[in-house]
Amino acid sequence: MIPVQLILKNFLSYRDTTLDFRGLHTACICGANGAGKSSLLEAITWAIWGESRAASEYDVIHTGTKEVRVDFTFKTSGQQTYRVIRTRARGGSSVLEFQIETPNGFRSLTGKGVRATQDQILQHIK
């Protein structure tokens, strides 16, 4: 899996952040303790698998906000580009979208519900 872009909206300590990995061959995430380095990697994990270190599924939502969203675009070793968008509303449900890039833009591979979509993601990334 080769990261292409990561967009965070209200994820843990991040309010509105975009990381573009295009053009990078090797990258280093560095910074002071508590700066949010691990949160960037956790955002990728949460987007793809829906898992995080948070005690509650709503604890990934930035304090004082109502919704979290993580968009993660990546390429596979076969150079196919996919995008996963996971959203959760405080006190509400999750939305999970899975898309594949085509010459005409991204096309949905989203299943009927989060579980079906999660299965689609796992099937494609192996």
Side-chain angles (χ1 to χ4, degrees):
M1 179 180 308
I2 302 162
V4 175
Q5 187 177 53
L6 180 65
I7 302 171
L8 308 176
K9 182 79 173 166
N10 299 325
F11 185 83
L12 295 175
S13 60
Y14 290 94
R15 294 290 306 252
D16 194 5
T17 301
T18 300
L19 293 174
D20 192 339
F21 299 100
R22 286 175 274 238
L24 299 177
H25 177 69
T26 304
C28 173
I29 301 172
C30 58
N33 285 346
K37 301 176 299 292
S38 298
S39 296
L40 295 173
L41 299 174
E42 189 163 359
I44 294 170
T45 302
W46 186 74
I48 294 174
W49 291 281
E51 300 287 330
S52 75
R53 64 183 165 183
S56 158
E57 55 191 22
Y58 300 107
D59 288 347
V60 296
I61 303 172
H62 185 81
T63 304
T65 62
K66 296 180 185 199
E67 184 177 83
V68 61
R69 177 181 167 129
V70 175
D71 297 34
F72 179 53
T73 305
F74 62 94
K75 288 185 181 216
T76 61
S77 58
Q79 295 301 302
Q80 181 60 59
T81 302
Y82 294 97
R83 180 166 54 196
V84 176
I85 304 168
R86 190 176 296 264
T87 307
R88 175 172 289 285
R90 194 175 298 282
S93 61
S94 282
V95 176
L96 179 58
E97 297 175 48
F98 184 45
Q99 303 168 348
I100 187 169
E101 189 174 43
T102 69
N104 298 325
F106 281 93
R107 179 177 56 85
S108 179
L109 297 174
T110 303
K112 293 186 181 201
V114 172
R115 178 170 282 157
T117 304
Q118 187 67 58
D119 290 344
Q120 285 283 349
I121 293 169
L122 296 176
Q123 184 179 37
H124 282 81
I125 65 170
K126 298 181 172 75

